Amino acid sequence: AVDELEFLADLRRRAKQVTPAFDKFFFEALKSNILADGSIDAGETRTIKKILLADGKIDPVELKFLKSLKKAAEKTCPEFDKLYATLTR
């Protein structure tokens, strides 16, 4: 599943324009993969950061995803909490 997510992330990053339907599909797949065990660990946080900040900024769709991820997680690590605090201020 990680290879598929990396492929989708690369596709999203390279696209000149992304449709809302693709974003919805992409972020649902990412959320399912990250929350498979209910928690967000340091490695998953690095993946989230790499994807969300691929262009150096976080857009409204990415911010919405980050907030829904935090809400759905049963447990988060300190690295995720720090990233979340930084990106949502």
Side-chain angles (χ1 to χ4, degrees):
V2 173
D3 289 339
E4 290 89 353
L5 285 177
E6 287 179 11
F7 170 77
L8 290 174
D10 188 51
L11 189 63
R12 183 176 187 266
R13 185 176 41 76
R14 291 175 184 236
K16 290 184 177 22
Q17 186 173 3
V18 177
T19 66
F22 180 83
D23 264 347
K24 184 175 191 273
F25 166 76
F26 174 74
F27 286 116
E28 284 177 4
L30 185 58
K31 186 176 180 179
S32 288
N33 186 273
I34 289 170
L35 294 178
D37 65 355
S39 65
I40 304 171
D41 65 27
E44 291 164 334
T45 300
R46 285 189 295 278
T47 299
I48 294 164
K49 184 177 180 180
K50 180 180 170 186
I51 291 170
L52 297 185
L53 297 176
D55 61 358
K57 61 187 187 303
I58 187 163
D59 66 37
V61 172
E62 293 164 338
L63 188 58
K64 182 179 175 183
F65 162 75
L66 187 64
K67 289 179 178 181
S68 76
L69 194 61
K70 169 116 173 127
K71 186 176 181 180
E74 295 169 16
K75 182 180 174 192
T76 59
C77 66
E79 293 86 352
F80 178 82
D81 296 338
K82 182 179 177 187
L83 177 67
Y84 184 85
T86 300
L87 296 178
T88 59
R89 56 172 106 126

